């Protein structure tokens, strides 16, 4: 299969969740002295510097504090007016601003262990594979981030609820590049404060 010839890639941090199980806004919860969401932002920023394609880091949120902090650092930020509709709504907010780009990568903001190197490996492998989608996984367990080529944009825009793009990944497994992550801790998304023991 031919490898992709990407000219533009969006790296989108999804930071609009409600943190219901965490008990407070986990995205602003301090982890080693800085808010949790900022780890994802730093990871994408570092990955952008490693990648050989033209890419831009962007953020989707519902929180004014995250909006202001990201704008002050020069990142484009889009507000999700209906975060209660689930992660699909946040993906679609980001996607609507990037329909002209060749691919979009989506990362969740409660995954502080993910490294820029893994993001780079996912993107590089996706490009070489020529597949329409890519996902980080550990053995059989899929995680985040995920990347989607433009041919899947129409279907992403039709998704509903809190399942996100993995619906399409499961629907078209033959068109997916699976990047096997080395450390399963990188895929851990934080749902409960107890999962931060040793980090905060």
């Amino acid at each position: 299969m031919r490898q992709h010839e990407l000219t533009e890639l969006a790296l989108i941090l999804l930071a609009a969740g409600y943190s219901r199980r965490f008990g407070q806004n986990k995205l602003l919860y301090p982890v080693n002295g800085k808010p949790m969401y900022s780890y994802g932002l730093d990871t994408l920023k570092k990955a952008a510097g490693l990648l050989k394609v033209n890419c831009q880091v962007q953020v989707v949120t519902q929180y004014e504090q995250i909006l202001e902090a990201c704008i002050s650092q020069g990142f484009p930020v889009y507000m999700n007016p209906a975060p209660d509709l689930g992660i699909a709504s946040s993906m679609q907010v980001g996607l609507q601003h990037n329909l002209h780009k060749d691919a979009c990568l989506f990362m969740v903001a409660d995954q502080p262990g993910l490294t820029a190197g893994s993001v780079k490996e996912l993107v590089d492998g996706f490009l070489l594979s020529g597949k329409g989608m890519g996902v980080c996984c550990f053995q059989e367990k899929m995680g985040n981030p995920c990347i989607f080529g433009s041919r899947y944009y129409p279907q992403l825009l039709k998704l509903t609820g809190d399942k996100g793009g993995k619906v399409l990944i499961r629907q078209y497994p033959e068109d997916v590049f699976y990047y096997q992550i080395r450390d399963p801790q990188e895929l851990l998304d934080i749902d409960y404060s107890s999962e931060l023991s040793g980090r905060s």
Side-chain angles (χ1 to χ4, degrees):
M1 185 176 284
R2 288 180 55 198
Q3 69 183 63
H4 286 288
E5 295 179 1
L6 255 63
T7 56
E8 287 192 279
L9 168 67
L11 303 174
I12 303 171
L13 183 70
L14 304 177
Y18 275 110
S19 314
R20 290 185 176 95
R21 288 173 288 182
F22 196 83
Q24 59 180 291
N25 188 346
K26 64 182 174 183
L27 302 182
L28 296 174
Y29 189 84
V31 180
N32 292 328
K34 65 180 186 178
M36 190 189 301
Y37 82 88
S38 66
Y39 283 86
L41 195 63
D42 290 346
T43 294
L44 291 182
K45 183 179 178 180
K46 290 175 187 174
L50 297 172
L51 291 166
K52 295 179 181 178
V53 297
N54 182 23
C55 51
Q56 183 185 49
V57 178
Q58 306 173 21
V59 180
V60 177
T61 190
Q62 64 163 314
Y63 300 109
E64 289 290 337
Q65 190 171 337
I66 294 177
L67 170 76
E68 293 169 6
C70 292
I71 287 178
S72 71
Q73 296 177 64
F75 297 106
V77 185
Y78 309 114
M79 295 296 279
N80 182 351
D84 52 306
L85 295 179
I87 196 170
S89 68
S90 290
M91 293 180 71
Q92 288 158 358
V93 168
L95 187 57
Q96 288 282 7
H97 291 274
N98 292 283
L99 294 174
H100 59 290
K101 290 189 166 65
D102 301 297
C104 289
L105 178 143
F106 297 95
M107 177 182 171
V108 293
D110 60 352
Q111 199 172 329
L114 187 73
T115 65
S118 290
V119 176
K120 178 184 183 297
E121 291 294 328
L122 171 65
V123 174
D124 287 348
F126 167 78
L127 293 175
L128 287 171
S129 73
K131 303 282 190 178
M133 297 175 280
V135 62
C136 283
C137 52
F138 182 75
Q139 298 175 358
E140 300 298 314
K141 179 178 173 56
M142 290 191 294
N144 285 294
C146 303
I147 185 169
F148 299 89
S150 57
R151 67 175 174 261
Y152 284 103
Y153 292 177
Q155 286 167 276
L156 287 171
L157 290 171
K158 294 176 182 176
L159 293 176
T160 58
D162 212 32
K163 295 181 180 177
K166 297 222 176 52
V167 171
L168 299 182
I169 288 171
R170 292 187 179 94
Q171 190 172 350
Y172 306 103
E174 73 288 344
D175 198 26
V176 179
F177 167 71
Y178 298 93
Y179 172 61
Q180 285 289 340
I181 217 141
R182 296 171 184 84
D183 181 359
Q185 290 298 309
E186 286 196 54
L187 294 186
L188 179 65
D189 56 349
I190 305 299
D191 290 323
Y192 302 94
S193 58
S194 59
E195 294 172 314
L196 286 169
S197 58
R199 291 179 188 260
S200 56

